[in-house]
Amino acid sequence: ETGVTQTPRHLVMGMTNKKSLKCEQHLGHNAMYWYKQSAKKPLELMFVYNFKEQTENNSVPSRFSPECPNSSHLFLHLHTLQPEDSALYLCASSQERDLSYEQYFGPGTRLTVT
Amino acid sequence: GQSLEQPSEVTAVEGAIVQINCTYQTSGFYGLSWYQQHDGGAPTFLSYNALDGLEETGRFSSFLSRSDSYGYLLLQELQMKDSASYFCAVRDSNYQLIWGAGTKLIIKP
């Protein structure tokens, strides 16, 4: 148990569906992150929230929409996705938004877009 | 562009020593981290180097040379449970977090 939970663990959705990924951290951290992990590619940082404020958006398509209602919860809303969006989506948190602070990762949501 | 380079796969024998290299090209540098990820699992933090030199934590050590834009992770007394993917990551001067593609470590008995 890493202290970061993600639901659902697996998701299959069509290109016209709307779904949301949920992440919750029980560690009292101030920073939360969404990553995309595709096979044999570097982890792609998608969004960063620090004290509930979005601080980074790495040119992510608008079909991905993050939401951070409080410092413990992070959502990723998905709509009209493409098959190339199929990947493992990882949530992470850290005490502060700095590389020197260890990031704690959740188990990920395996997303398949059909 | 910004990039981190690490070998895609390394094979070693149980009980041996293995070194996984990471070279980076980034605009600025605020430190190099290493993470381990087992198949089907979440990445877990191993080490962080901000200054040159070797940091040792048990069987694992991490080295950094900022002048060479290079670091490595050294794993000693390899165990089968060390079979995993290992990622290096660098934060650049724009506070962007750049990750390597990962090195799959295969350990043979």
Side-chain angles (χ1 to χ4, degrees), chain A residues 35-80:
Chain A
Y35 287 92
K36 176 183 178 182
Q37 186 174 36
S38 304
K40 301 192 186 300
K41 292 177 68 175
L43 269 155
E44 297 174 50
L45 180 63
M46 300 174 73
F47 301 104
V48 181
Y49 278 82
N50 196 39
F51 290 96
K52 302 186 298 178
E53 299 295 321
Q54 188 180 122
T55 58
E56 285 182 48
N57 175 343
N58 289 341
S59 303
V60 180
S62 60
R63 57 185 184 269
F64 295 92
S65 174
E67 178 190 359
C68 187
N70 55 62
S71 57
S72 297
H73 293 86
L74 188 63
F75 295 89
L76 188 62
H77 303 300
L78 317 170
H79 64 98
T80 59

Side-chain angles (χ1 to χ4, degrees), chain A residues 35 37 56 58 97-99, chain B residues 31 35 37 42 95-97:
Chain A
Y35 287 92
Q37 186 174 36
E56 285 182 48
N58 289 341
R97 186 185 67 96
D98 187 284
L99 182 62
Chain B
Y35 283 78
Q37 185 179 27
Y95 243 54
Q96 291 288 316
L97 195 59

Side-chain angles (χ1 to χ4, degrees), chain B residues 71-88:
Chain B
Y72 66 72
L73 181 68
L74 189 73
L75 296 83
Q76 303 182 73
E77 300 171 24
L78 284 173
Q79 302 175 10
M80 296 305 293
K81 67 178 182 179
D82 298 329
S83 294
S85 290
Y86 293 84
F87 295 86
C88 56

Side-chain angles (χ1 to χ4, degrees), chain A residues 1-9 21-27 32 34 72-74 91-93 104-109:
Chain A
E1 177 59 51
T2 64
V4 181
T5 58
Q6 291 186 245
T7 54
R9 295 293 308 276
L21 309 185
K22 179 182 177 181
C23 175
E24 184 173 359
Q25 57 98 358
H26 315 272
L27 302 167
M32 295 188 76
W34 278 119
S72 297
H73 293 86
L74 188 63
C91 173
S93 71
Y104 291 78
F105 284 81
T109 296

Side-chain angles (χ1 to χ4, degrees), chain B residues 14-89:
Chain B
E14 193 176 13
I17 298 172
V18 72
Q19 179 174 310
I20 300 174
N21 299 321
C22 176
T23 57
Y24 57 89
Q25 266 191 315
T26 58
S27 57
F29 175 83
Y30 279 117
L32 175 70
S33 286
W34 288 93
Y35 283 78
Q36 177 193 62
Q37 185 179 27
H38 288 99
D39 281 347
T44 55
F45 175 83
L46 291 177
S47 68
Y48 171 73
N49 294 68
L51 302 175
D52 293 346
L54 189 68
E55 298 272 348
E56 297 182 58
T57 308
R59 294 187 298 114
F60 291 8
S61 303
S62 57
F63 172 82
L64 175 65
S65 169
R66 289 172 295 171
S67 61
D68 296 321
S69 298
Y70 163 75
Y72 66 72
L73 181 68
L74 189 73
L75 296 83
Q76 303 182 73
E77 300 171 24
L78 284 173
Q79 302 175 10
M80 296 305 293
K81 67 178 182 179
D82 298 329
S83 294
S85 290
Y86 293 84
F87 295 86
C88 56

